[in-house]
Amino acid sequence: MQLQGKTIVVTGVSSGIGAEVVRIARFAGARVIGVDRNDPSLTLDGFVKADLSSVAAIDAAVAQLPERFDALCNIAGVPGTAPVKLVADINYLGLRHLTEQALPRIPRGGSIVNVASILGAEWPQRLAPHKALAAAQSFEAGAHWLRDHPVPQESCYQYFKEALIVWSATQSQQWFLDRGVRMNCVAPGPVFTPILGDFVSMLGQERVQADAHRMLRPGFADEIAPVIAWLCSDEARWISGANIPVDGGLASTYI
Ligand SMILES: NC(=O)c1ccc[n+]([C@@H]2O[C@H](COP(=O)([O-])OP(=O)(O)OC[C@H]3O[C@@H](n4cnc5c(N)ncnc54)[C@H](O)[C@@H]3O)[C@@H](O)[C@H]2O)c1
């Protein structure tokens, strides 16, 4: 994988999958600018501290990013043990807002990668509401739509990962046609990162045990990160609108 000469903005760089993307992308020659609410603990080419749940903070962060960059990896996220509004704001509405604000700085041939989840796999069951939410075209309009269509705490993580997959797919074609910028999702299965424990409490022991029999083990962050970094490379130039599972085959066992 070649990333020489590319500048990549990565959110969620201070832990888990985001930190591994930084390491791998820099090793492949990229210049990486990180964004996170926590300080990073590895070498970056630039860092912007920001809370990606707030429009004002996102706008202030974008103002500090380079005038031009080749790719944006939206990796920051919280588990469904966080309050519903926070999950909506960080995992979906804020991600969308950051991406829309960043888009004018991404030239033709650029790439956007959104980290979804295997837990977003049931999006076809709720396609109509996810399309309606995608049509609410600003952070505030989306928040307003969600006030009228409340999402339960128990399934909020799944709901907003599903919504992210649907928005990414439906939005990607226009951006690819109009601007030559690709957008894809990567859907990890369970990964050994600090939030894995939250997923266990979120899903319950029964589901976790059922999944445990369907896979070898949870993945490592360095097994997810190369796919995200590769989607930023020119080798992936004909991939857009996809949602790529990186889960040791777990999703395939549900077919
Ligand atoms: N770990 C898993 O099992 C798993 C599985 C599927 C998908 N994912 C997704 O992968 C992504 C990365 O998760 P991870 O496992 O590396 O978790 P992690 O907790 O190790 O990393 C998440 C990072 O996001 C940052 N972040 C969270 N909220 C933020 C905010 N408001 N503003 C700025 N930064 C914020 C955190 O500071 C942290 O550095 C998330 O979107 C998560 O939903 C994780």
Side-chain angles (χ1 to χ4, degrees):
M1 175 180 47
Q2 301 280 324
L3 293 173
Q4 263 96 8
K6 292 200 185 291
T7 299
I8 303 182
V9 173
V10 181
T11 74
V13 292
S14 300
S15 181
I17 297 168
E20 277 304 314
V21 169
V22 172
R23 207 180 52 77
I24 288 168
R26 290 188 84 245
F27 190 70
R31 201 174 142 248
V32 180
I33 315 296
V35 184
D36 205 294
R37 65 180 170 189
N38 293 322
D39 290 325
S41 52
L42 80 178
T43 309
L44 283 155
D45 301 288
F47 178 69
V48 179
K49 193 164 183 165
D51 175 359
L52 296 170
S53 68
S54 139
V55 169
I58 292 169
D59 291 345
V62 171
Q64 295 174 65
L65 294 176
E67 280 304 309
R68 175 198 162 284
F69 47 90
D70 302 285
L72 169 67
C73 300
N74 287 309
I75 304 179
V78 287
T81 45
V84 179
K85 186 176 179 319
L86 205 59
V87 178
D89 290 356
I90 298 170
N91 292 12
Y92 181 78
L93 295 173
L95 183 158
R96 252 180 29 175
H97 185 71
L98 172 64
T99 306
E100 285 159 1
Q101 298 310 302
L103 187 66
R105 300 186 186 207
I106 304 177
R108 193 160 283 278
S111 170
I112 298 160
V113 186
N114 299 327
V115 174
S117 169
I118 190 173
L119 292 173
E122 291 179 0
W123 60 265
Q125 293 181 21
R126 279 169 286 276
L127 183 56
H130 292 318
K131 279 190 162 178
L133 178 55
Q137 276 183 353
S138 68
F139 190 105
E140 197 35 62
H144 189 271
W145 189 91
L146 287 166
R147 279 194 289 277
D148 292 343
H149 303 84
V151 175
Q153 177 74 54
E154 312 79 72
S155 54
C156 69
Y157 181 82
Q158 290 88 327
Y159 191 93
F160 290 111
K161 290 299 187 184
E162 292 172 7
L164 176 61
I165 292 167
V166 171
W167 174 75
S168 301
T170 51
Q171 181 63 74
S172 63
Q173 190 64 354
Q174 207 56 49
W175 287 351
F176 194 44
L177 291 174
D178 293 349
R179 297 171 168 269
V181 172
R182 301 176 288 109
M183 181 158 71
N184 294 286
C185 285
V186 166
V191 188
F192 288 114
T193 71
I195 59 173
L196 187 58
D198 291 272
F199 286 111
V200 175
S201 32
M202 194 178 103
L203 293 170
Q205 276 302 335
E206 203 178 316
R207 165 74 194 267
V208 170
Q209 285 307 321
D211 278 354
H213 294 297
R214 292 165 176 267
M215 62 182 179
L216 234 43
R217 55 167 171 76
F220 297 118
D222 69 357
E223 292 169 322
I224 315 300
V227 181
I228 299 170
W230 179 76
L231 282 168
C232 298
S233 77
D234 295 339
E235 290 154 37
R237 65 187 171 276
W238 201 237
I239 302 180
S240 190
N243 175 35
I244 302 180
V246 188
D247 60 4
L250 181 57
S252 68
T253 70
Y254 286 98
I255 292 173

